[in-house]
Amino acid sequence: MSNDKLIIAGKSYNSRLLVGTGKYKDFTETRAALDASGAEIVTVAIRRTNLGQNANEPNLLDAVPMSKFTYLPNTAGCYTADDAVRTLRLARELLDGHSLVKLEVLGDPQSLYPNVIETIAAAKTLVAEGFQVMVYTSDDPIVAKQLEDIGCVAVMPLASLIGSGMGILNPWNLQLIMDRVQVPVIVDAGVGTASDAAIAMELGCAGVLMNTAIAGAQNPVLMASAMKKATEAGREAFLAGRMPKKLYSASPSSPTAGIIGSVRS
Amino acid sequence: MITVSINGEPRQFPLAINIAALIEEMGLTGKRIALERNGEIAPRSSFATQQLADGDRLEIVVAVGGG
């Protein structure tokens, strides 16, 4: 499997599991979970610095060094294209010109469902400014195709609502997206447990992105390890090509010849 | 005195302060930050040459954990 790489914007990655860095107890747990997950790409948020903060306050960049992980700054919490674009311009300045970003423009604070109109507007601006945009979107195949046409380097439909852990509610729409889109399709949001990640990968998704499923588990580090295995297992099952589903087997797994005879005449 | 909004909070500074001096005053020198001035990115290389003006709105950000 070592030659099966995830390729995003021309760069190849060994891990198809992308993880967030939020909601952990502390940075030690964050790092332990990231290491257990095997993830190479990790999402980070961009926030106002705490004015008057303690100079010795622990820093995400120390716990999760950019030399070991590919940062994917996001626009979580943005509800307009303008705010999302400004946030990512700040991220690019903050991360020394780093252009790989996760665009998400939300519709409302209850559902955190994507506002695709604002998302499309932001994607156009960001692509024109040279960003490599991985875009969080709904599972609408037409919108997904438009985002690819705009120039996004990965399309990331939700499986269910952010942080819900409800799993993959509409595998058919994910399939419709994969039928139309050439760039990597990565399930982003909604994964609750390892089988959800495996199902996403078995469907043929290029990867899965999650945060709460790991950070919200009773044992986040153990769940990170489970997610790594599930992502790999699902990918291998997809590549292996599953057997067709049949109502009746009529095809025993053991030989039909050579069965011992009856002792009754 | 000039009044500058920093991350939504009004702060007062003597005239003629530049961004580098402001960063130092706030104890952020050497920290990995990014700064936006009135909606435009202020590159780190320009901190020493950009003079703040009354009414400027600054956003100073860092990377934090997020999904």
Side-chain angles (χ1 to χ4, degrees):
Chain A
M1 295 300 297
S2 60
N3 58 355
D4 176 46
K5 309 281 191 194
L6 169 63
I7 297 172
I8 300 171
K11 190 163 180 244
S12 70
Y13 302 89
N14 293 308
S15 174
R16 292 178 178 273
L17 175 57
L18 294 73
V19 299
T21 56
K23 298 186 181 173
Y24 289 97
K25 175 178 76 187
D26 53 35
F27 287 136
T28 305
E29 187 183 72
T30 308
R31 178 61 190 271
L34 297 193
D35 285 344
S37 77
E40 294 162 276
I41 300 175
V42 299
T43 62
V44 301
I46 303 300
R47 289 292 179 270
R48 285 171 162 176
T49 186
N50 189 4
L51 299 177
Q53 73 182 0
N54 178 353
N56 299 318
E57 201 170 88
N59 183 326
L60 178 71
L61 286 130
D62 295 330
V64 184
M66 288 173 67
S67 56
K68 288 201 164 61
F69 297 92
T70 297
Y71 268 34
L72 189 63
N74 70 25
T75 60
C78 290
Y79 289 87
T80 65
D82 188 48
D83 282 353
V85 168
R86 284 173 56 212
T87 297
L88 291 178
R89 286 175 184 150
L90 279 163
R92 182 156 68 176
E93 172 67 13
L94 182 71
L95 304 175
D96 305 324
H98 177 85
S99 62
L100 187 70
V101 296
K102 172 180 164 180
L103 171 64
E104 59 181 294
V105 188
L106 304 175
D108 74 49
Q110 287 76 41
S111 70
L112 303 180
Y113 203 82
N115 178 330
V116 297
I117 296 168
E118 293 291 312
T119 301
I120 286 171
K124 286 179 180 169
T125 302
L126 291 165
V127 169
E129 293 184 12
F131 285 91
Q132 295 171 326
V133 181
M134 300 174 67
V135 59
Y136 171 65
T137 184
S138 66
D139 62 1
D140 179 328
I142 306 305
V143 170
K145 178 65 181 148
Q146 287 188 6
L147 288 165
E148 177 182 54
D149 291 344
I150 287 166
C152 293
V153 300
V155 173
M156 306 201 291
L158 50 75
S160 48
L161 298 183
I162 291 174
S164 70
M166 292 287 282
I168 294 162
L169 299 186
N170 196 338
W172 308 107
N173 270 35
L174 295 178
Q175 194 64 60
L176 292 174
I177 291 172
M178 284 184 283
D179 286 349
R180 283 161 180 73
V181 166
Q182 305 302 310
V183 295
V185 175
I186 294 171
V187 158
D188 181 1
V191 166
T193 189
S195 53
D196 298 332
I199 290 168
M201 298 309 295
E202 287 173 11
L203 287 169
C205 293
V208 257
L209 197 165
M210 65 185 72
N211 192 152
T212 313
I214 296 174
Q218 297 295 308
N219 183 335
V221 178
L222 188 57
M223 185 58 89
S225 168
M227 290 300 185
K228 175 180 197 283
K229 292 166 184 163
T231 305
E232 290 172 357
R235 178 65 182 175
E236 290 188 10
F238 169 73
L239 292 175
R242 62 153 297 150
M243 62 161 282
K245 288 181 181 175
K246 293 174 285 189
L247 189 53
Y248 297 99
S249 157
S251 170
S253 301
S254 303
T256 49
I259 297 170
I260 61 170
S262 171
V263 292
R264 279 173 255 169
S265 60
Chain B
M1 298 291 280
I2 59 167
T3 302
V4 173
S5 162
I6 304 175
N7 291 353
E9 293 180 22
R11 297 272 180 128
Q12 294 201 312
F13 295 96
L15 275 174
I17 191 173
N18 63 33
I19 294 178
L22 171 127
I23 297 289
E24 189 174 350
E25 168 121 0
M26 302 189 61
L28 295 171
T29 306
K31 302 266 181 208
R32 185 180 282 269
I33 56 156
L35 191 146
E36 181 196 71
R37 180 187 182 193
N38 302 327
E40 303 288 332
I41 296 294
R44 261 170 276 177
S45 57
S46 75
F47 284 180
T49 53
Q50 284 207 43
Q51 298 288 118
L52 293 176
D54 193 43
D56 274 354
R57 302 185 65 83
L58 305 184
E59 294 284 350
I60 306 176
V61 301
V62 294
V64 302

